[in-house]
Amino acid sequence: MLWTALQLAAGGLALVLAAVTLLPLSGRKEWWIRMWDFPRAQIAAVLPVAMALALTLPAPLRWGALAALAACLLYQCWRILPFTPLARREMEFATEAAPDRDVRLLAANVLMENAQHAKVRALVADKDPDVLLLMETDATWVAALEPVLARYPTVLREPRDNYYGMVFATRLRAAEARVVYLTTDDTPSVYAELSAPDGARFHFLGLHPRPPVPGEDTHERDAQILYSARFARNSDTPVVTMGDFNDAAWSDTSQRFKHVGGYLDPRIGRGLYASFDASHPLIRCPIDQLFVSEGVAMIAFGRGPQIGSDHFPMTATIRIDAALAARLNRPPAPLAGQARADVEKGVAAHRGRLEAAARRNGGRAR
C-alpha cells in the first residue's frame, strides 16, 4: 500500500512539473499560465526530487518519466542560466566612481499597507539617490515621505489606494517629468527627461504594470512593457527603465523588451538579485528590474535591505558616457524575423487602444 501511494505521488508530481514547464511555452496570456514564468528556480529545485521518486515507478513508465523530467530540468536551467555567474556578463562595471558625473538611482515597492515608513525614510537618507522611484504609495505614504521628498526640487506625487500609486523625485535638472499612462487600465508610469551632473541627457521610465493574478491576465502588462521598449529604440538619447515589472527577468516578455529596445541588464552573468518575496526566501524571484540602453555605463548595482515590504529595494549607480559604455557593455542581439513582426503588430494595436483611451480621458495616454 505504501509503495503504491509513493508511486502515485511520483507520477502525479511528474505530471504537475511537466505541465507547469510546458504551459508557459504556449505563449497564452491567461494569468494561470503566465504565473508559471515566475518560479523557474523553485521548479528546477524540485525536479531532481521528482526524478528520484520516479525511480519507484514500474519499468515501462520509469524511463519515460525520467526522460521527461530531465528535459524539464534542462529547460528550466537553460532559462535561469543567464542570471547566474556561469553566464557571460552583458555589463562590466566601471572600476572608479566619478561623483561629478555619476547618477545614483533607488527604486522600491514599499507595499501600501506597510507601516514602517521610518525605514524607507532612513533608506532614502542613507542612499541619497539622485533619482527616486517609489511604488504602491497611497496618501498615507506620501504624507510620511514628505520630510525626504522636501530635499528634491522635482517631485511627482501620484497617490493611489489600489496598490498602483507612485512617487518620483529627482535633484537632477529635469526638462520634463510627468505621470503617463501606457495602458488602458489607468495604471500610472513615470516619464522624465533628465540631465546628469555633467549635463549628459537621458530619459527615465518608471514602470509598475499589473501582475498575473486571478482576474488579471497579462495582455496589458506585456503591452506596457513592449510599448515602452520601443521608446529606447526610437530615441538617440540613452534610456534608463526601472521599476516593479511584475514579470520575471527571464520571461519571454522581459527578453523581448530587451531585444526590442536594445536594453542591457546588469543581472546577466552575476546573479538573480531576487527582489520578491522579501518575507519568504524560498519563493523569491527577480521581478524588480533595471534596464539601460546603449550609452549608459554601470558603476554599481545591488539589492537594498528589508524595509517592511514584500519587495527589496533596488539600487544602482550609472554614468551617461557612450565611450565608456562601448568598452564595458555587450548589447543583446536585435530581435529579428517573425518575432519582431509579431511585436510590431502588438505594439501598433496597443497604440490604437491608447489613442482611443486618450480621447476618452482628455489626452492622458502617451
Side-chain angles (χ1 to χ4, degrees), residues 38 247-250 267 272-276 284-289:
F38 294 83
D247 190 32
W250 47 61
R267 280 185 168 101
L272 298 183
Y273 295 85
S275 57
F276 175 89
R284 283 182 189 163
C285 179
I287 69 173
D288 294 86
Q289 317 291 6

Side-chain angles (χ1 to χ4, degrees), residues 29 34 37-38 135 164 166 180-185 187-190 205-212 217-234 239-263 265 286-291 335 343-344 346-348 350-351 353-354 366:
K29 305 294 187 181
R34 296 272 55 96
D37 284 325
F38 294 83
M135 293 152 284
Y164 293 98
M166 271 192 171
V180 297
Y181 296 83
L182 300 177
T183 62
T184 58
D185 60 14
T187 302
S189 302
V190 167
L205 295 175
L207 301 179
H208 184 205
R210 295 174 183 265
D217 296 334
T218 65
H219 297 86
E220 288 295 309
R221 183 201 69 178
D222 295 352
Q224 178 177 354
I225 291 171
L226 293 175
Y227 191 77
S228 60
R230 293 190 70 226
F231 188 86
R233 198 190 70 206
N234 294 337
V239 181
V240 177
T241 302
M242 205 169 187
D244 171 9
F245 274 43
N246 275 316
D247 190 32
W250 47 61
S251 77
D252 289 338
T253 301
S254 288
Q255 293 307 301
R256 288 194 190 102
F257 173 87
K258 287 186 63 206
H259 291 285
V260 169
Y263 280 107
D265 183 350
I287 69 173
D288 294 86
Q289 317 291 6
L290 168 68
F291 293 105
L335 201 64
V343 168
E344 295 291 346
V347 167
H350 185 63
R351 185 189 302 113
R353 293 194 298 271
L354 286 178
R366 178 182 175 82

